[in-house]
């Protein structure tokens, strides 16, 4: 079971602590000791699918309809495929997914996995964007606030601002070669680390 | 301008000015919003309003679900009685010798007190601790084809070490079937028998599709080692519900399996006398055996975890929303302020 979660973590966007959340929540929620192997495995796998959808959603900066279709289409396809597989009598998965989907505890467990997996990520990301923003965050915020008006005057001022940023960048790097402040790229790299 | 130049060059080279126009057209990629990245896009950013709203919403959803789940779990009445040690005769020094000796009577009597009213149906489970049904060699030791089809009776290649006995195929073969649980329980209340309904304790899909109605036990428990219950050779596998229940292998080392149902309500204060046969050997691997009587709700059995976890997460979300609101009010930060850019942060750079 840990192998399955680990494999999925490597293929997807789930972080190690989120994989741990999936594992522990599944074990504790189904600790009434009547679950069998396929059921427990499928609960854990479902948790990974749910978490992945939300993680990708949070990481995406620009949503057009292909993004939306691919993220939630993956989610829907997971259930469709598993319901189909659950209809084949000769497989171990026979009727497993139908049983799980008809249990309220399954959906409650999924909600718990998503909340515990995504809550800290959302809080930390918000905190960082607010109090330690990197240049990308700031530029996104600037774009959001400027994007409400589309007059040519605003476009012109934006071009002037961009030129101003570039000038500052060059001046900054030239004048403060030994200083602690770094240009845009290094700042991004440092922030990501 | 460059387009004009290219046209001139082409004309000079080939001497055919008319071909330039269609060739220029075919090279140009067809316009579409997708290829030009002009699709309408939503670009959300994490603003205080949205983040605080999300946390409040999660809290509002989670706390009621937590309360409802916890209430459902608390409504379950459960009696757990461990009997593997208590049923060993008092003067026994070697439990393994006791359980393996067929001449010693394994009858045992236990008394249970009902703590709260239990509404029918009451589920009777046996619980085993420290029994790893998920061990790979164990869980693979079965032949689903054999269980389903009488023509596949000799298909025992996956069933080692319990595939054949005395040169003949075992039906049902494999370690899982061989080690089927064989304790039995009888219940008496106020000098009256409580009948245990042992029908429909397995999955209907298992009875109809995974265990054949034309497959009968053959050569079962005929080897030198007997692992568990003997099966009625005149009853098809699809009707041997104890076997079907046991072969749904458990995911965890501590598990319960359904033994039967009691369709009589039990009242608070009732005394239940259990007459059981302590046949199954858990002494060789330090396992535990427990008898469980339990009611059930929409949430399943007794499980406080989901309710408590939901309440904790909901409460934490409310706290985070409150903290972020305070932070926003006390120490506001302007979003998209140029001064926060790294090259504007240093006063000397201004």
């Amino acid at each position: 079971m840990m192998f399955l979660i680990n494999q999925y973590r490597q293929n997807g966007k789930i972080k190690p602590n989120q994989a741990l959340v999936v594992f522990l929540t599944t074990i504790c929620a189904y600790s009434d000791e009547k679950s069998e192997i396929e059921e427990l495995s499928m609960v854990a796998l479902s948790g990974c699918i749910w978490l992945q959808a939300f993680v990708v959603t949070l990481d995406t900066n620009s949503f057009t309809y292909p993004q939306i279709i691919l993220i939630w289409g993956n989610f829907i396809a997971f259930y469709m495929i598993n319901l189909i597989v659950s209809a084949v009598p000769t497989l171990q998965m026979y009727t497993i997914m139908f049983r799980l989907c008809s249990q309220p505890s399954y959906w409650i467990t999924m909600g718990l996995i998503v909340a515990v997996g995504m809550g800290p990520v959302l809080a930390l990301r918000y905190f960082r964007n607010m109090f330690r923003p990197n240049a990308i965050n700031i530029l996104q915020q600037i774009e959001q606030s400027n994007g409400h008006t589309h007059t040519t005057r605003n476009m012109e001022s934006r071009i002037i601002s961009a030129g101003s940023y570039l000038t500052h960048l060059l001046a900054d790097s030239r004048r403060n070669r030994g200083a602690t402040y770094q240009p845009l790229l290094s700042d991004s790299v440092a922030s990501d680390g | 301008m460059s387009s004009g130049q290219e046209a001139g060059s082409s004309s000079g080279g080939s001497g055919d000015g008319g071909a330039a126009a269609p060739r220029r057209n075919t090279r140009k990629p067809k316009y579409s919003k997708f290829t030009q990245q002009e699709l309408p896009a939503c670009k959300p950013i994490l603003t205080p309003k949205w983040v605080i709203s999300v946390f409040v919403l999660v809290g509002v959803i989670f706390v009621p679900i937590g309360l409802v789940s916890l209430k459902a779990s608390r409504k379950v009445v459960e009696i757990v009685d461990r009997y593997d040690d208590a049923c060993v005769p008092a003067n026994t020094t070697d439990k393994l010798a006791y359980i393996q000796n067929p001449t010693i009577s394994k009858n045992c009597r236990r008394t249970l007190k009902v703590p709260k009213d239990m509404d029918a149906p009451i589920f009777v489970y046996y619980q085993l601790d420290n029994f790893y049904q998920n061990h790979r060699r164990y869980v693979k030791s079965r032949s689903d084809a054999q269980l389903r089809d009488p023509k596949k009776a000799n298909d025992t290649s996956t069933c080692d070490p319990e595939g054949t006995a005395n040169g003949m195929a075992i039906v049902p073969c494999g370690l899982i079937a061989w080690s089927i649980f064989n304790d039995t329980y009888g219940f008496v209340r106020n000098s009256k028998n409580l009948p245990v309904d042992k029908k429909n304790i397995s999955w209907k899909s298992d009875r109809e599709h995974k265990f054949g109605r034309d497959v009968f036990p053959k050569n079962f428990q005929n080897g030198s080692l007997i692992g568990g219950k003997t099966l009625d050779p005149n009853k098809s596998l699809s009707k041997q519900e104890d076997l079907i229940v046991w072969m749904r292998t458990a995911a965890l080392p501590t598990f319960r399996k359904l033994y039967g149902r009691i369709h009589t309500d039990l009242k608070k204060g009732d005394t239940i006398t259990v007459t059981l046969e302590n046949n199954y050997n858990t002494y060789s691997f330090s396992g535990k055996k427990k008898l469980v009587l339990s009611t059930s709700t929409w949430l399943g059995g007794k499980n406080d975890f989901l309710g408590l976890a939901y309440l904790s997460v909901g409460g934490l979300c409310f706290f985070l929303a409150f903290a972020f609101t305070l932070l926003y009010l006390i120490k506001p930060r302007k979003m998209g302020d140029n001064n926060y850019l790294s090259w504007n942060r240093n006063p000397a750079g201004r």
Side-chain angles (χ1 to χ4, degrees):
Chain A
M1 226 260 275
M2 275 307 290
F3 171 82
L4 175 139
I5 295 178
N6 189 56
Q7 190 68 46
Y8 216 86
R9 178 173 66 81
Q10 287 169 1
N11 291 338
K13 300 263 296 174
I14 294 168
K15 300 171 176 64
N17 52 321
Q18 287 175 323
L20 201 61
V21 164
V22 171
F23 179 75
L24 290 177
T25 305
T26 301
I27 294 290
C28 294
Y30 278 76
S31 68
D32 65 0
E33 301 143 356
K34 297 194 281 290
S35 306
E36 49 107 57
I37 287 175
E38 276 81 22
E39 275 179 330
L40 211 73
S41 300
M42 195 46 59
V43 171
L45 183 58
S46 304
C48 293
I49 293 289
W50 278 74
L51 261 188
Q52 175 172 267
F54 281 92
V55 168
V56 173
T57 298
L58 195 59
D59 280 348
T60 302
N61 294 315
S62 174
F63 289 95
T64 62
Y65 64 81
Q67 268 89 5
I68 294 167
I69 289 169
L70 288 172
I71 292 172
W72 299 103
N74 172 73
F75 180 85
I76 291 166
F78 167 78
Y79 277 103
M80 287 178 59
I81 290 168
N82 277 280
L83 290 169
I84 290 167
V85 169
S86 293
V88 181
T90 51
L91 297 179
Q92 287 294 320
M93 266 288 292
Y94 183 51
T95 73
I96 296 291
M97 209 62 198
F98 296 110
R99 282 170 187 276
L100 283 181
C101 289
S102 64
Q103 293 173 15
S105 58
Y106 170 73
W107 300 108
I108 293 176
T109 304
M110 291 301 113
L112 183 63
I113 287 174
V114 170
V116 176
M118 293 308 300
V121 174
L122 181 64
L124 290 176
R125 182 172 296 237
Y126 165 75
F127 205 86
R128 194 171 135 199
N129 282 12
M130 215 59 198
F131 294 97
R132 264 182 172 278
N134 59 27
I136 293 171
N137 303 135
I138 295 173
L139 293 176
Q140 283 171 345
Q141 291 159 10
I142 290 171
E143 185 181 9
Q144 279 288 316
S145 52
N146 288 349
H148 293 314
T149 55
H150 292 289
T151 60
T152 50
R153 194 180 321 112
N154 232 322
M155 281 296 298
E156 190 173 337
S157 70
R158 210 190 297 187
I159 292 170
I160 293 171
S161 297
S164 174
Y165 299 154
L166 191 60
T167 305
H168 278 99
L169 173 61
L170 294 173
D172 199 64
S173 59
R174 202 185 310 120
R175 196 178 306 143
N176 303 278
R177 189 152 295 161
T180 55
Y181 291 95
Q182 299 161 324
L184 179 63
L185 184 60
S186 300
D187 190 56
S188 299
V189 172
S191 300
D192 285 347
Chain B
M1 187 165 171
S2 64
S3 168
Q5 268 190 334
E6 180 158 349
S9 168
S10 168
S11 174
S14 66
D16 184 3
R23 206 168 69 193
R24 203 180 325 132
N25 282 343
T26 57
R27 283 171 190 248
K28 185 180 180 182
K30 182 166 186 158
Y31 170 83
S32 80
K33 286 194 170 184
F34 182 73
T35 54
Q36 292 301 315
Q37 300 188 25
E38 292 172 359
L39 293 171
C42 172
K43 300 180 179 181
I45 56 174
L46 297 176
T47 61
K49 178 175 65 177
W50 277 109
V51 170
I52 292 168
S53 299
V54 165
F55 280 118
V56 169
L57 184 69
V58 171
V60 166
I61 291 173
F62 269 52
V63 169
I65 293 179
L67 290 172
V68 169
S69 300
L70 201 59
K71 188 182 176 188
S73 175
R74 292 292 167 84
K75 204 196 302 179
V76 172
V77 187
E78 195 176 87
I79 306 172
V80 182
D81 180 59
R82 181 182 172 187
Y83 63 88
D84 53 297
D85 279 342
C87 286
V88 175
N91 57 347
T92 301
T93 54
D94 187 349
K95 294 174 184 171
L96 202 55
Y98 149 78
I99 200 69
Q100 288 177 337
N101 188 339
T103 63
I104 301 179
S105 166
K106 303 298 191 300
N107 284 348
C108 184
R109 192 178 302 262
R110 304 287 295 162
T111 302
L112 309 177
K113 191 92 173 179
V114 179
K116 269 194 273 181
D117 285 358
M118 300 175 79
D119 297 330
I122 296 163
F123 297 89
V124 182
Y125 301 100
Y126 53 91
Q127 177 175 327
L128 292 173
D129 291 46
N130 206 36
F131 192 118
Y132 287 82
Q133 265 202 330
N134 58 8
H135 188 285
R136 184 168 179 84
R137 278 198 63 190
Y138 179 92
V139 76
K140 293 298 181 185
S141 183
R142 65 190 286 161
S143 174
D144 288 313
Q146 190 208 53
L147 298 171
R148 189 171 24 242
D149 191 349
K151 301 186 193 71
K152 300 281 176 43
N154 293 318
D155 186 1
T156 62
S157 57
T158 58
C159 288
D160 290 341
E162 290 294 328
T164 58
N166 307 318
M168 281 164 46
I170 301 174
V171 181
C173 65
L175 276 176
I176 308 175
W178 172 82
S179 62
I180 181 177
F181 191 73
N182 60 348
D183 287 3
T184 62
Y185 310 100
F187 301 89
V188 175
R189 176 189 65 165
N190 300 335
S191 309
K192 283 187 198 162
N193 262 20
L194 285 174
V196 178
D197 178 16
K198 292 180 65 66
K199 282 183 66 64
N200 298 330
I201 62 174
S202 59
W203 293 9
K204 186 166 178 279
S205 55
D206 280 354
R207 296 198 299 273
E208 292 184 350
H209 293 110
K210 284 193 171 292
F211 290 79
R213 64 176 59 92
D214 298 324
V215 184
F216 292 86
K218 192 176 70 175
N219 205 26
F220 188 67
Q221 304 288 14
N222 273 351
S224 53
L225 287 175
I226 296 180
K229 178 178 174 170
T230 55
L231 299 176
D232 182 352
N234 299 311
K235 204 192 281 187
S236 74
L237 294 194
S238 64
K239 294 190 171 64
Q240 309 257 13
E241 297 213 42
D242 283 330
L243 173 74
I244 298 173
V245 165
W246 179 257
M247 290 195 74
R248 273 277 158 201
T249 47
L252 300 169
T254 298
F255 60 88
R256 292 175 183 174
K257 288 191 185 290
L258 191 54
Y259 178 83
R261 290 183 189 85
I262 295 175
H263 296 294
T264 309
D265 291 351
L266 301 182
K267 298 301 175 199
K268 178 180 175 177
D270 279 349
T271 300
I272 310 292
T273 302
V274 185
T275 302
L276 63 93
E277 281 188 30
N278 182 33
N279 296 318
Y280 202 68
N281 179 8
T282 54
Y283 306 102
S284 56
F285 57 88
S286 306
K288 298 174 189 171
K289 289 192 288 188
K290 296 173 184 175
L291 170 66
V292 179
L293 301 179
S294 178
T295 57
S296 186
T297 62
W298 58 271
L299 193 64
K302 193 175 196 58
N303 185 357
D304 288 350
F305 170 77
L306 281 179
L308 292 176
Y310 259 70
L311 286 175
S312 304
V313 171
L316 191 63
C317 285
F318 277 132
F319 170 76
L320 281 177
F322 181 66
F324 283 161
T325 303
L326 278 190
L327 213 53
Y328 178 64
L329 295 176
I330 292 173
K331 198 183 177 188
R333 301 265 279 186
K334 189 187 170 216
M335 299 195 77
D337 192 339
N338 298 351
N339 295 323
Y340 297 145
L341 288 167
S342 63
W343 55 86
N344 291 335
R345 218 176 283 157
N346 190 345
R350 200 176 295 273

